[in-house]
Every structure is written in C-alpha cells, then in structure tokens.
Amino acid sequence: MYLNGDDVKADSKQAITWLKVSAQQNNVQAAYHLAAMSERGISVTQNDQEAFQWYLKAAELGHAKAQYKVANAYRTGTGVQQDQMLAAKWFNKSATQGNFIAQIYVK
C-alpha cells in the first residue's frame, strides 16, 4: 500500500515499518519482500546480512523461494558464513516443495 502508493501517498519509510511489523508477526510474504528489498537495495540500503535474516525468517515459515535463497547464501557465503551442510539442508527443503532450481543442487 505505502510502497506502491495504492490509495495513499507512496511512503517507503512507512512501507518498511509496516512490512517489518507484519514480518515479525510471521507474515511470510512480508518477510520475503523485506529480504528481496534488502538484497537489491530497494527503498533501503543494500545489505546482504539483513537480506539473509529476512530470507531465513521466510524460509522457516515454509516459503520455498526463501528456502532456496537461504541455501544459496550458505553455499556462497553471501550475508552469512559459508556452510555446505546447511546449504544442502535448505536446498532439500526447497526442492521438496517443488523448487526446480533447488532440485538441481539435491543429490
């Protein structure tokens, strides 16, 4: 709503505030959206560590794309310490939900 200016004046600070409130209340889409914004620097300063934390939140709530993002972050060490065992765990979770890109990494 605030991010796109739907029925209100666009206000990225308000959008971030409400997305964080929603994500902290376990709204998976809000957590994923915050992660993507942090990863790409959309309306916030680009921050791989913060992106990872929001992707992890969404992944723990069962979001398949977030699980892939967490796995890839562990694989490459982007925003988090590299850990191939955790990467495999999250690739498997994402692949189990049908994420075909994650399935490439599952052996």
Side-chain angles (χ1 to χ4, degrees), residues 6-97:
D6 297 335
D7 298 323
V8 296
K9 182 179 177 189
D11 184 338
S12 62
K13 286 185 181 183
Q14 280 288 349
I16 299 300
T17 297
W18 288 110
L19 281 169
K20 285 181 178 180
V21 167
S22 188
Q24 290 164 348
Q25 294 176 355
N26 295 331
N27 181 304
V28 67
Q29 292 301 330
Y32 186 82
H33 201 69
L34 282 167
M37 292 171 72
S38 294
E39 180 182 29
R40 297 180 187 116
I42 299 170
S43 299
V44 296
T45 302
Q46 193 277 334
N47 184 321
D48 289 331
Q49 291 83 17
E50 187 170 335
F52 175 80
Q53 291 303 316
W54 288 119
Y55 278 132
L56 182 60
K57 173 84 171 173
E60 289 170 340
L61 293 169
H63 194 285
K65 288 181 184 177
Q67 291 169 341
Y68 168 78
K69 290 285 200 171
V70 167
N72 201 48
Y74 277 125
R75 183 182 68 82
T76 63
T78 304
V80 68
Q81 185 174 343
Q82 194 172 28
D83 187 323
Q84 299 305 318
M85 295 291 285
L86 285 173
K89 170 190 167 181
W90 286 106
F91 278 131
N92 189 51
K93 284 180 179 277
S94 184
T96 298
Q97 291 197 70

